[in-house]
Amino acid sequence: MKKSLSIYLSLFLTVLFFSCGETTPKKKTKRPNIVFIMSDDHAYQAISAYDTTLIQTPNIDRLAKEGVLFTNASVTNSICAPSRAVILTGKHSHINGKIDNLSPFDTTNVTFPMLLQKAGYQTAMFGKLHFGNNPKGFDEFKILPGQGDYYNPRFVTKDGDTTITGYVTDITTDLTLDWMEKRRDTAKPFLLMYLHKAPHRSWLPAARHYPEFTKNEYPPPETLFDKYQTRGDAAKTAEMGILKDMLLQYDLKVPSAVLDELRISERLGAGGVARMNTEQRAAWDSIYEPIAIDFMERYPALNDSSLTVWKFQRYMQDYLGTIAAVDENVGRLLDYLDVENLSQNTLIVYTSDQGFYLGEHGWFDKRFMYNESFKTPLLIRWPNVITPNTTEDELVQNLDFAQTFLAAAGVAAPKDMQGESLLPLFKKEKDKWTRDAVYYHYYEYPAEHTVKRHYGIATKKYKLMHFYYDVDQWELYDLEKDPTETNNVYDALEYQDIVDEMKIKLTKTRETYSDSKALDSLFIQQYQNDVQD
Ligand code: SGN
Ligand code: CA
């Protein structure tokens, strides 16, 4: 009996040794897999772990139940491709060079996937990258060109382009699971970047979600009719208002025939609906045509306020409808990890490239340093390291991912990365976490949505912002007293000490991260050249 046990044991150890394909199995088998799930424009208000008002997202929530929910996670520059560049490089936009969606990503940047690949990780990326060039450091990638399409999307791969019939969120998951099942090297730890296009504008849900979501009615946020009374020009001149800038056809799917009838002309046409095949189009029309007819009948009686509410409802129905498919597909991936016994040794992240306005301040889109677009959802599960059901309110940023993943993998981070590893927070070693403010800088102006250039810092209590380029205006918000950021107290007498303190902190932070007035001017020049090209 004893003898057969020891034979089994040595057989088991031999199999373990060879299946790991490593000379030091104990050390290397410990390295966790890393799954980075990111959606595009997914507001934290639309994740039920944060807020149950709008939608239930049980699969995404699972990561917080089994891990940690960050309530003060933010981005350094609230726009797509720059956020992705910050994530990959661990450097602010002014250092990695990708300051806006227009500028090219400098492929000489060192990224964390390149370092993990070099350290023996198998690496793969599926979904939206939005760089205009292919990612380095990946054994396999299948990415959407540019913004990508919801229906029948084209993917760029190492072996050329391919168009796949179906719905992008499902297809991105199919491609991911196909790689996991067929090409994953079980001898290596893996890095998977699983990147959804949804819920980016213009919002097209999957057909299975049309009936439920188009019937829903949503409570408008309290700032839907914000008049920006205490603010500077930036909020007043931004073109992202639900009433004025959200398009009836492109965004809200009222067909051109109805707009012609109502004598409304708009700058953009049908958007992604035009890509649908006959069958997809029939499913669409069966639900959306009656909505358009109903709108045509109501329209004459609508005023600015009731039209805003109608648009808000239609916006939420489609935006949230796209999120239902993201949540289901995240569930598919989590199930796969469970079934394959991978969950225990996998660090898994759910986040978005930035937040988004769901009617707050009357807006859609992002770009501003105000909370809804500055903050981003962040849920992380890593069994045996992170205590389940934890909430963390420290100020963390997308700048921190690179160093976090490298630290988790035991790979030294280059000294010039600018973030902080989140590992001390995972392990509740709060004394090792000293950050008390985060830095922000947005550049893409003049451009779509006309959000002025600005930079600023946020502590847990206050936010100071400086708008520049064609204005020179400051705003200060008392986040504890004014969580909706509707009361700019920059000029209020009782806040002058805080203004002074925050300005000193801002100057120091800019120095620490090597940002400067000289760079601001350089990027303005570069932007003007990019726009002319
Ligand atoms: C598109 C959208 C904008 C959006 C940008 C950037 N317009 O240009 O509303 O702000 O993308 O989004 S659209 O008419 O093409 O829908 S980002 O997430 O890629 O930065
Ligand atoms: Ca985005």
Side-chain angles (χ1 to χ4, degrees), residues 190-298:
F190 65 87
L191 162 71
L192 164 67
M193 297 193 80
Y194 166 61
L195 311 171
H196 284 295
K197 172 200 167 53
H200 193 275
R201 188 188 185 198
S202 96
W203 312 279
L204 296 181
R208 62 184 178 278
H209 294 124
Y210 304 158
E212 178 190 341
F213 280 83
T214 53
K215 280 198 198 76
N216 286 346
E217 216 178 288
Y218 297 97
E222 61 178 288
T223 57
L224 182 64
F225 295 102
D226 192 350
K227 297 279 182 288
Y228 320 119
Q229 265 150 352
T230 64
R231 293 176 215 259
D233 290 331
K236 291 174 184 146
T237 56
E239 294 176 1
M240 43 198 249
I242 290 185
L243 178 65
K244 292 211 167 71
D245 307 303
M246 185 170 271
L247 301 171
L248 286 166
Q249 184 178 11
Y250 182 77
D251 290 314
L252 305 178
K253 330 298 174 354
V254 178
S256 53
V258 172
L259 293 187
D260 290 348
E261 186 82 19
L262 298 172
R263 299 217 169 87
I264 297 170
S265 80
E266 289 189 333
R267 66 183 175 86
L268 292 176
V273 179
R275 286 185 66 82
M276 292 178 178
N277 62 28
T278 319
E279 197 187 326
Q280 292 163 342
R281 188 58 202 249
W284 174 265
D285 285 343
S286 71
I287 301 285
Y288 282 81
E289 265 181 9
I291 296 175
I293 292 165
D294 175 66
F295 175 71
M296 191 159 68
E297 286 164 6
R298 275 167 196 259

Side-chain angles (χ1 to χ4, degrees), residues 7 85 286 523:
I7 289 172
S286 71
F523 288 129

Side-chain angles (χ1 to χ4, degrees), residues 38-42 78-81 83-84 101 128 130 147 196-197 199-201 352-356 365-366:
M38 185 161 76
S39 301
D40 193 356
D41 295 357
H42 192 167
S78 180
I79 184 134
C80 188
S83 169
R84 290 153 203 265
N101 275 343
K128 179 172 169 182
H130 199 190
Q147 294 284 8
H196 284 295
K197 172 200 167 53
H200 193 275
R201 188 188 185 198
S352 170
D353 60 343
Q354 11 65 210
F356 211 68
D365 213 66
K366 53 258 179 175

Side-chain angles (χ1 to χ4, degrees), residues 42-62 64-65 69 320 323 327 350 377 379:
H42 192 167
Y44 56 86
Q45 310 90 294
I47 292 181
S48 45
Y50 286 95
D51 188 339
T52 51
T53 314
L54 295 173
I55 190 169
Q56 288 298 323
T57 51
N59 295 299
I60 297 171
D61 291 5
R62 209 186 129 186
K65 278 204 194 102
L69 180 81
L320 297 168
I323 288 171
D327 189 63
Y350 186 90
L379 303 84

